[in-house]
Amino acid sequence: MSQRPYLVGLVGTGVGPSLTPALHMAEARCHGLDYLYRTVDLDELHIAPTQIGEILSWARALGYDALNITHPCKQLVLEHLDEIDPTAAQLGAVNTVVFGPDGRALGYNTDTTGFAHGFAEGLPDARMDSVVLVGAGGAGVAVADALLRLGCGHLTIIDLDVERAGHLARELAARHPLTRVEAAAFDKLPVLLPDSDGVVHATPTGMAAHPGMAFSADLLRPRMWVADIVYRPLNTALLRAARALGCRTLDGGHMAVYQATDAFALITGITPDAERMSRHFRSLVSDQPEQP
Ligand code: NAD
């Protein structure tokens, strides 16, 4: 074991069941690191999300090396950082804060880098000329940004909350003037989906608590790829339908694992074994392994 113990926290509401602490600590053990990763549940501790600045100050004073930040603090944390990585700054959301040796708080977003890494690994050479994103919430924003960095030529964003989809599309279009980014109403899916190269599903539908599918499987075509970011379960109804049709698929485990690998690398400076972390993650989710 190294002499230097790492101390890391996950700050947010409802973070108790998160698999991220177990993922980080198991990987750290494989590298001989003494690494303690704890959840800091704001609800349980009766701390208001708006106190995130104080949490950062205390964490730094108490010797934390880093914090992962999740709902509802990813935007609130921005004004309390000393430096923000350009990708996270563009996105306007930070999920990883690393305290430098000088105590400076540096912010990153490994949701978006994690989706991009997982996508590149799980769907190599996927056509990206025309992609539909369903769900423009916290995770959808990170996914949209990643899709544009991955070279998507035309991104259509759909959300039941039309305002939210429109806002995200306008923001992305302003930042990526060479790419076509637009929002569309949910009832346009029957026209848009069958003509697209692929779809990313980023709503909570399909989770154990929200079973079902956000849109009909009749809209899928065998030549499309289908990515779902829901990971509990990994094998969602959407992915089952897509595989039955012969579509290439990507489950939500890829994003979940790579947000952790990217954060681990930022915190320790060590490149983790992503395959080992993925195996561990999948054993924790204890779901069917991903089908080809
Ligand atoms: P959120 O509540 O911030 O946003 C969800 C969005 O989906 C909202 O804008 C809502 O209006 C929209 N929506 C809901 N039902 C819809 C439907 N049927 N059709 C169209 N739009 C619909 O949630 P979030 O934080 O963005 O998380 C979304 C999902 O992504 C959750 O299941 C979460 O577990 C998952 N997630 C996965 C990862 C990962 O690493 N794989 C990371 C973050 C979130």
Side-chain angles (χ1 to χ4, degrees):
M1 288 282 176
S2 105
Q3 294 303 303
R4 165 123 177 37
Y6 281 89
L7 185 55
V8 182
L10 171 61
V11 180
T13 55
V15 290
S18 171
L19 302 176
T20 303
L23 276 184
H24 276 243
M25 288 194 285
E27 182 62 18
R29 272 195 299 279
C30 296
H31 293 277
L33 302 177
D34 189 1
Y35 194 108
L36 181 64
Y37 188 134
R38 295 193 56 173
T39 53
V40 180
D41 192 312
L42 299 179
D43 279 346
E44 276 179 16
L45 296 167
H46 305 291
I47 298 175
T50 47
Q51 288 176 276
I52 186 69
E54 292 163 59
I55 296 172
L56 245 59
S57 300
W58 275 108
R60 184 183 359 227
L62 292 171
Y64 274 77
D65 294 283
L67 296 174
N68 272 142
I69 308 288
T70 190
H71 179 78
C73 298
K74 288 181 187 180
Q75 281 94 29
L76 292 171
V77 75
L78 293 172
E79 62 179 288
H80 304 287
L81 300 169
D82 296 304
E83 204 176 310
I84 307 178
D85 163 77
T87 303
Q90 280 206 337
L91 198 61
V94 155
N95 81 325
T96 304
V97 176
V98 179
F99 297 112
D102 50 1
R104 285 164 60 78
L106 315 172
Y108 303 88
N109 191 304
T110 69
D111 290 327
T112 190
T113 60
F115 180 82
H117 284 147
F119 189 94
E121 177 206 58
L123 286 175
D125 308 321
R127 279 186 71 95
M128 300 284 282
D129 293 340
S130 172
V131 177
V132 175
L133 169 65
V134 182
V141 172
V143 167
D145 213 69
L147 288 170
L148 295 183
R149 287 200 311 283
L150 285 163
C152 173
H154 176 193
L155 178 64
T156 308
I157 303 169
I158 290 178
D159 195 294
L160 288 179
D161 185 335
V162 182
E163 279 289 303
R164 188 177 284 179
H167 177 76
L168 177 58
R170 283 192 297 278
E171 209 172 72
L172 289 169
R175 278 200 271 125
H176 298 267
L178 301 180
T179 308
R180 202 171 144 201
V181 188
E182 54 202 3
F186 188 81
D187 63 8
K188 293 287 183 295
L189 266 179
V191 182
L192 293 166
L193 255 200
D195 274 347
S196 68
D197 294 317
V199 58
V200 183
H201 170 255
T203 89
T205 320
M207 293 174 74
H210 307 276
M213 290 171 53
F215 51 85
S216 166
D218 293 345
L219 304 179
L220 301 176
R221 298 292 178 267
R223 55 164 187 77
M224 289 172 62
W225 52 262
V226 178
D228 200 338
I229 69 160
V230 169
Y231 62 90
R232 272 176 164 163
L234 283 171
N235 201 12
T236 58
L238 172 64
L239 292 185
R240 286 200 303 275
R243 287 182 194 121
L245 205 62
C247 301
R248 292 172 76 196
T249 61
L250 184 79
D251 71 33
H254 292 266
M255 178 178 179
V257 168
Y258 276 98
Q259 65 76 23
T261 63
D262 289 357
F264 186 92
L266 288 167
I267 295 165
T268 63
I270 294 169
T271 304
D273 184 331
E275 246 183 78
R276 180 167 57 207
M277 286 179 81
S278 177
R279 278 197 305 277
H280 183 208
F281 174 83
R282 284 166 197 280
S283 75
L284 292 173
V285 177
S286 66
D287 191 9
Q288 298 294 314
E290 191 180 8
Q291 310 291 312

